[in-house]
Structures are given as structure tokens and as C-alpha cells.
Amino acid sequence: MTEQTQLKLTRLDRIGVRISAKLQTLEAVFVSFSYLTLAAIALGASGCGYHFAASGSGLPAQAKTIYVQKFGNKTRQTGINDEFMRFVEDEIANRKRLALVDNPSQADLILTGDIIYDDSVPIAFNAASEPTIYTQTISANASLTDAHDHKVIWATRGVSSTQQTPVVGQSVITTSPYFVQQNLRSRDIASMQDIQVAATQEASSKQQAMQTLAQNLYSSMSEGF
């Protein structure tokens, strides 16, 4: 091996050592960054008051009663706001954190809002390009006001719920939890015409969507998101 060849190999070894050192440094930086990122996420989740269940910790401690004002209706579906009100009141009653009152003068808190969106969009089709499954989406705006000083203590825009709606018998999954909650059996679906399936599933889907929306709204309100 010539002296020139040995010199080249020595240079290559040095370059390799430098590259290895840089890679180790980059690895250390990446690991540190990963830990810092995870810590920031954890702190952020803690700081926003996130909880896995709606414990009501975001509500004023002294608040004991709530009045739910009639929601407005910004959609074309007549009466959907009145129907949704029942789900909201049921959700508040089931949580047992606040007592519902019939008069705003008796309330510590006043909940107001509007139904702003209600629509169904087809998402699945058969070979003839006919819809077999729709998605039902309902959205609302809402705010919570302290009845004593009239300050808004919480507000949300566009809280929503989406539910899939099969409209033909072949699309109904009779083993799903959603279907099991209905007063139907698989043999009932099998004996129905598609127009009957669509009517029953659309009604059930809307009820489920409103119930889920009421749950989402209460969770957001009670945790202060």
C-alpha cells in the first residue's frame, strides 16, 4: 500500500468519525425534541382543563340551577329546535350537576343557543347510482350566561353531531349498537320495503344525532372548552 493510499484512507476514517459524531448529535437532539414535544402536549392538555368525562369542573362552583332558553332555529326544519331542547334538558338532568328551573329569575345560569345546520348527504350508492347510506349532521351555537352579573362565561360555535343513516335494507347493520337501541329486529328490516326502511332509519338517526349533540354540548359547557 502506497503512502498516498494510506493518506486517503486516514482522511476517510476522519470523515467517518465526523459523520458518526454528527449523527449522534442529531439523534440526541431528536430525542430531546420528542420529549419536549410530549411534555408540551401534556401540559397543554392539563392547562385547558381536559377530562375524560364531563365532571362539571368548568362550571362556577356556586352555580346550582340553570334555565334553558328556547333555542332559535336557523334551519328549514320546522320544530327541530323544540325537539333538541328536550334532549338538552334530559342531558342536564341526567348529569345531576345542575337543577333545571322553569323561570330565568330562579336560575344561576342561563343557556341560550341556535340550531344552525341540519342536513343529510349521500355517501354510499348502489350499482344504479342510487343512495344507500346518508350522513345526518346537526350543528348548534350556544352560550352560557351568569344570571346574576349577566356575563357570558362560556360560548361555542358549530358544535355538531354526525350520524350515518342507511336507507335500504341491505345497508342496515342489524348487529350494530345503533340498531340494537331501536325497537326493531333484523326480521323487521327484512320484511320492510326500502321506503319504510328509509323512514324508520332517518327518524332514528335524527334522534341519535340530537342526543349526541346534546351530550357534546353539555360536555363542552361543563368543562369550559
Side-chain angles (χ1 to χ4, degrees), residues 108-153:
D108 296 316
L109 304 172
I110 297 176
L111 177 64
T112 59
D114 296 293
I115 300 297
I116 60 171
Y117 183 82
D118 174 42
D119 201 7
S120 295
V121 178
I123 60 169
F125 303 83
N126 59 18
S129 297
E130 297 169 333
T132 58
I133 300 176
Y134 285 77
T135 58
Q136 171 79 42
T137 302
I138 303 176
S139 302
N141 294 338
S143 61
L144 189 67
T145 303
D146 188 314
H148 303 294
D149 60 17
H150 307 292
K151 290 183 179 179
V152 175
I153 60 175

Side-chain angles (χ1 to χ4, degrees), residues 42-74:
L43 287 172
S46 174
C48 73
Y50 181 81
H51 297 275
F52 289 103
S55 62
S57 60
L59 297 171
Q62 70 277 13
K64 306 298 181 185
T65 57
I66 185 170
Y67 173 76
V68 181
Q69 185 172 303
K70 182 176 179 177
F71 271 46
N73 184 6
K74 305 296 185 182

Side-chain angles (χ1 to χ4, degrees), residues 1-12:
M1 183 181 296
T2 65
E3 182 177 350
Q4 186 176 6
T5 301
Q6 288 180 339
L7 181 60
K8 288 182 178 179
L9 289 175
T10 300
R11 290 177 178 175
L12 288 173

